[in-house]
Amino acid sequence: VRVPGLRATAPVIAAFIVSLIVFGFADEVESVNPLRVLIPPLVTFLPGAALTSGMRDLATGQIVSGASRLVQGVVALLMLAVGIVSAAALTGSPQITLVDRPVERLGAWAPWVGLALITFGTWLHRCARRSSLPWILIVLAVAYGTQSIAAVVFDAELSAFFGALAMTPAALWISRLRAGPPYLVTYLPAFWMLVPGAAGLIGVTEIVGTDSSLGPSDFVSMLSTVIEISLGVLLGATAFHASAEELPELTRVLPTPRRIDRWWHRRPRG
């Protein structure tokens, strides 16, 4: 439908309509966290990738593009939050419905099934080649597996950094294989999985619609995760290019076993 301004206001309209449905039935299902239910239908509007890419651009000195993406991401979160808060006010929902609270999870097996669903959904939505399916799944598994191990060994707040640090060299290495797809085909799904778009929306909604202290805390946590992912991507790419380009040059200078053996047999004897 070609209506002037519809594209710009679509996120607010979608957030408002979805929130009306969720908050209207929130009293019927008491065990459901309404704020969490809003995330899946609005996931295509979440600007987590824009926020993380903007922070990465700022870290690499691209001031204009980085600042633009950061502002764009924050404005997108505010627009979605306004739609959610407006629907909550219209339905008379209490502030507690806009506060995030722990939910019962399916189990440790659910995220791994989710990786397969993300792979299949990416293949359909992005029209990727069928041969790229296993490679996308491998990079997703590397990112999530490393993140899970880091959350146990180090800290859950630092897990996103290690996930980004591991997935970037994996995607770059696969792109150099003869049968491997291009770098962005495997990198982007894992990147979208790590970016904290949902956490950012929850934090901004709590700030706009409630007086809870959790809002600023959740928003700052989202920003720290954005910085961690950006740093992990930069360090991962740097480490891969260093090992792929500079180390081979170094091995030409260092003595190898074959060179040592050749020198031993050719040494002057007297």
Side-chain angles (χ1 to χ4, degrees):
V1 180
R2 296 184 179 180
V3 178
L6 181 60
R7 178 182 292 272
T9 57
V12 181
I13 297 174
F16 180 76
I17 295 175
V18 171
S19 301
L20 281 178
I21 299 173
V22 172
F23 292 140
F25 291 94
D27 295 336
E28 304 296 332
V29 187
E30 297 180 357
S31 60
V32 173
N33 185 356
L35 199 56
R36 292 271 179 167
V37 177
L38 290 172
I39 300 302
L42 298 177
V43 69
T44 55
F45 298 109
L46 297 182
L51 292 171
T52 309
S53 300
M55 191 66 68
R56 182 188 59 192
D57 291 345
L58 288 176
T60 55
Q62 302 177 24
I63 306 300
V64 176
S65 62
S68 301
R69 287 179 175 177
L70 278 179
V71 173
Q72 178 189 7
V74 173
V75 170
L77 288 178
L78 288 173
M79 293 178 66
L80 291 173
V82 167
I84 295 173
V85 174
S86 300
L90 185 62
T91 57
S93 301
Q95 285 191 0
I96 191 62
T97 58
L98 297 177
V99 177
D100 187 32
R101 58 180 184 270
V103 294
E104 184 178 355
R105 301 184 180 274
L106 295 176
W109 56 269
W112 297 100
V113 176
L115 296 182
L117 294 177
I118 292 175
T119 302
F120 186 72
T122 302
W123 173 61
L124 290 177
H125 185 61
R126 298 292 173 181
C127 301
R129 291 185 177 182
R130 188 177 301 176
S131 59
S132 64
L133 281 174
W135 301 113
I136 296 174
L137 182 59
I138 289 174
V139 177
L140 283 170
V142 169
Y144 179 74
T146 306
Q147 185 182 20
S148 301
I149 295 174
V152 176
V153 177
F154 299 100
D155 191 358
E157 296 181 355
L158 298 176
S159 60
F161 165 77
F162 291 98
L165 183 64
M167 76 174 187
T168 305
L172 288 170
W173 178 75
I174 289 174
S175 66
R176 297 198 175 188
L177 298 178
R178 179 175 299 180
Y183 165 67
L184 291 178
V185 174
T186 57
Y187 166 78
L188 287 178
F191 179 75
W192 291 328
M193 181 187 67
L194 290 179
V195 293
L201 178 59
I202 291 174
V204 172
T205 302
E206 290 172 340
I207 293 175
V208 175
T210 70
D211 53 2
S212 173
S213 61
L214 292 176
S217 176
D218 291 341
F219 187 75
V220 171
S221 178
M222 181 271 296
L223 290 180
S224 65
T225 304
V226 166
I227 297 174
E228 292 170 12
I229 296 174
S230 303
L231 184 60
V233 170
L234 291 175
L235 292 179
T238 302
F240 176 82
H241 291 303
S243 61
E245 297 176 5
E246 297 182 7
L247 290 184
E249 296 293 334
L250 183 62
T251 56
R252 296 178 183 178
V253 181
L254 295 177
T256 62
R258 179 176 297 180
R259 291 176 181 175
I260 295 176
D261 182 71
R262 186 182 304 171
W263 172 83
W264 177 260
H265 289 289
R266 293 181 179 179
R267 76 188 193 281
R269 301 177 184 180

